[in-house]
Structure formats: structure tokens, C-alpha cells
Amino acid sequence: MTAQALQNSPAVHTVRLEPVGIEMEVAEGETILDAAFRQGVSLMHGCKEGQCSACKCLLIDGDVEMLKYSTFALSDPERDSNHILLCRSLAYSDVAVELLNYDEDLLSRSIPVKDFNARLAAVEPLTHDIVAIALDLDQPMKFWAGQYVDITLPGIGLTRSFSMGNPPADGSRLEFIIKKYPDGAFSRQLDGGLSVGDRVSVRGPYGTCFRREGREGPMILVGGGSGMAPLLSILRDQAASGETRPVRFFYGARSRRDLFHLDLFEEFARSLPDFAFIPALSHAEEGDGWTGETGFIHEVLRRHLSEMDEVEEADVFSCGPPPMIDAVLPVLQMAGVDSARVYFDKFTPATR
């Protein structure tokens, strides 16, 4: 490297993560969380955009600058007491931070984030506002069931995060379940802007809400909307594992027309030793002929947890809109579920 190139290279600093004692490098202009992704250090994270607080930690030493973030994720009193969000923090010296939330199993199963080229292989409507797409990658991606990727549309530079709905066994094709919004910049592209065969870019994997293996007690899945995708990936991976723990899948929808994949869940009910799919309609319509659960999904979950055995040994995975997650978490706490075995992924609105 020439002297001029060295002069133009960004400064590199060391970040020490306590209490786990891990050290990694971060370049100036790179967020600490992005540096962790690049080096395969899997830290707790969620939205990656300063909205969810999953990567909140305490700055022990060093100089950092915070990029724009939501005060819902990091309040002003917290910032005044040296709390930071790793996804928004740029280092300008060697830094030491104390992780407030970390998972030894997560750190031991880290996968470095990489870039992949892909093409759109399939588009299939599932409901009036939910569509399934599949991407074929130029090379396989390793990921854990429940994780997600960033998909970028070349040309318009649009990037959105979506969870895989397929299990990790075949990382050459990724399947996604996407909710279409009237003003959704990405989902609008599915109405003629994107065609089968078009090229896209994929970066990942991300996410800490993935299936844990070899656990006792029941597995409880709770979702709504496109939150179906990561839970379906976890369920498919669980089925392939041969483990026999009880599995309960709670899914909230507004009306009968918002339900899909019912035939698939009937297959799981026949093939798995102890599985039940429990959909609930919050606004069942006349003519639905609905005889199943009604009400919001956290209310239905509360009723079922009171009748379940070994709830304190359960692993719970919850994915979907933030209000749903916020309603589910206290229900789990009151039922006696171990908070260390509750994993969730809030599908926060896009900010870019």
C-alpha cells in the first residue's frame, strides 16, 4: 500500500466488549454493530436503525459519536448516563463497552455477515395484501432458522429487511413472506416493478431470534402478519431436527381472508408428535363461518398458557408488529416464562 493510500485509510480502533472479554476492530465511519457483523461477532440486535434498543449498552471508556436515533430506543436520561446504541455508535478512539444483553449461545454461533448476488425466482400472492417471494443466490448462505437479511434493489438503491421463511438446510434459495402496504416503497415494486429473473443484492444474515437446539419444554411461536416468515422457518427447522418437544403456534389476524398456509399447518399437525396451530381473528366478519379463537393474539395466548404444562421451561419466539410484541411480553412474564428464553423480532417500520 502506498503512503498516500495509508494516509487516506480510515483510522482503526479496538472495541472491548465486557463482561465477555471479546475484542474487535472498528474503522472510523463504521458503526460498532456493523464492525461486529463484519467480523462474525453476533451481538444482540434488532432493527439496526436506532429504533428498538436491542443493542443498548453502557460506554465504559472511549469516545463515540451517536448517529440519529429514536428516543424511544434511548432516552435522554440514559444517554446522559453513558448508555449508547451500538448500531448508531461511531468510534473515534479505543472503546470499552459493557453489554447489557448478551447470549453465550448466540456468541458461540456467530456467522459473519456477507454480501450475495441473487435473482428473483418466484412471486406468489398468499392473501389480498401478503405475497411470497423466492430468491436464488449465486452461492449458498449459512443462517439460523429465524434470521433475516437486507435486500437491495439495484438501480433505485432501495433496501429493506425481510426474514427467511425457509429452513437453513438449503441456503441457495431464500423464501420470504412480505406484507404489501399502499405506500410501501418496496412492496409497490412487487406490482410490476420487479419481474422474475431480475437481479437483487442480499446482505446477511442478521437477527438473534433463531431456534435454539436440544432444549426441553414446549416451543411457543407467536406471530402476526408477515411475522409468519421467521416462525415458519423455525417450525420447519424444528420438524427436520427430529426433536419431539411440544410446539404451539399462535397467529393473530384480523379476518378469515388474512389467514394462509392452513393446509401446511395441517400437514405439520399430522407429521409432528405434538403440534397445534392456533389462529385467532380480532375482527371476524359475518360470513367468515369462523368457529376458532377470537380476540387479540396476546389474549388468546394468555388463556392457553394457563392450561399448558412446563411453561417455565418453554422457549418462546414472537415476531410481528411492535404493539403485538409489547402486548405479548407481559403475558409471558405473568405466566412464569423464563425471560432468558424469550426471543422476539419487532418488525419496525422502514426508515430508509
Side-chain angles (χ1 to χ4, degrees):
M1 182 178 293
T2 66
Q4 182 64 37
L6 286 171
Q7 185 177 354
N8 294 334
S9 298
V12 176
H13 306 293
T14 299
V15 176
R16 183 171 179 82
L17 307 171
E18 300 290 1
V20 294
I22 294 175
E23 290 189 350
M24 62 181 192
E25 294 183 342
V26 57
E28 287 193 3
E30 178 182 39
T31 69
I32 295 176
L33 187 61
D34 279 341
F37 290 146
R38 174 172 55 81
Q39 294 164 85
V41 180
S42 193
L43 302 178
M44 297 297 286
H45 62 279
C47 68
K48 313 191 307 298
E49 297 178 347
Q51 296 190 82
C52 75
S53 81
C55 64
K56 185 189 302 179
C57 66
L58 182 65
L59 178 65
I60 301 173
D61 188 40
D63 299 321
V64 303
E65 176 185 334
M66 292 278 289
L67 302 174
K68 185 179 179 181
Y69 60 89
S70 168
T71 53
F72 289 103
L74 185 71
S75 67
D76 290 338
E78 287 175 320
R79 184 68 189 97
D80 291 341
S81 59
N82 286 333
H83 288 79
I84 60 174
L85 301 174
L86 296 181
C87 69
R88 301 282 87 188
S89 295
L90 305 177
Y92 287 95
S93 71
D94 289 348
V95 170
V97 300
E98 179 182 347
L99 302 176
L100 303 181
N101 300 294
Y102 65 95
D103 184 328
E104 295 284 1
D105 183 43
L106 175 67
L107 288 167
S108 69
R109 300 176 68 186
S110 299
I111 302 174
V113 170
K114 296 181 180 179
D115 292 310
F116 299 82
N117 294 315
R119 68 175 187 87
L120 182 63
V123 179
E124 176 191 1
L126 297 176
T127 72
H128 63 103
D129 64 352
I130 291 182
V131 63
I133 72 169
L135 300 180
D136 284 339
L137 304 185
D138 288 355
Q139 56 180 326
M141 171 188 290
K142 181 180 179 181
F143 67 94
W144 304 118
Q147 291 192 296
Y148 69 93
V149 295
D150 287 344
I151 301 175
T152 299
L153 305 182
I156 59 177
L158 182 65
T159 301
R160 292 291 183 268
S161 301
F162 298 107
S163 298
M164 280 72 79
N166 58 294
D170 181 10
S172 296
R173 169 169 286 207
L174 304 183
E175 300 172 0
F176 305 90
I177 295 172
I178 298 175
K179 185 174 178 63
K180 296 168 67 176
Y181 294 95
D183 298 324
F186 190 101
S187 58
R188 277 204 311 269
Q189 298 299 315
L190 299 175
D191 290 325
L194 271 178
S195 301
V196 171
D198 285 353
R199 306 295 298 186
V200 300
S201 300
V202 174
R203 172 174 289 183
Y206 299 106
T208 60
C209 181
F210 58 78
R211 187 179 82 87
R212 269 58 174 183
E213 301 169 357
R215 295 285 187 89
E216 301 295 328
M219 172 186 283
I220 300 172
L221 310 173
V222 188
S226 57
M228 168 79 76
L231 302 180
L232 188 56
S233 175
I234 290 170
L235 177 59
R236 285 168 161 162
D237 196 45
Q238 175 70 18
S241 73
E243 296 180 9
T244 58
R245 64 192 307 190
V247 182
R248 298 293 180 269
F249 194 141
F250 297 85
Y251 184 76
R254 285 184 58 85
S255 65
R256 177 65 179 78
R257 71 172 187 157
D258 297 306
L259 296 177
F260 57 97
H261 280 338
L262 297 182
D263 55 343
L264 179 59
F265 293 116
E266 289 178 359
E267 291 179 15
F268 280 121
R270 289 191 294 267
S271 62
L272 290 175
D274 189 356
F275 171 78
F277 178 62
I278 305 160
L281 303 185
S282 61
H283 296 77
E285 299 174 351
E286 290 186 18
D288 274 349
W290 182 251
T291 58
E293 296 279 2
T294 58
F296 291 107
I297 198 62
H298 68 280
E299 299 168 340
V300 175
L301 176 66
R302 180 187 293 113
R303 293 196 295 268
H304 281 263
L305 287 177
S306 67
E307 301 170 357
M308 289 180 62
D309 297 327
E310 299 182 310
V311 171
E312 67 281 355
E313 297 295 326
D315 281 331
V316 182
F317 302 88
S318 186
C319 304
M324 186 205 77
I325 304 293
D326 293 340
V328 164
L329 292 179
V331 169
L332 299 173
Q333 182 180 22
M334 293 180 66
V337 177
D338 183 353
S339 61
R341 297 180 69 162
V342 175
Y343 311 97
F344 60 89
D345 191 354
K346 291 185 176 182
F347 285 24
T348 54
T351 61
R352 61 191 191 281

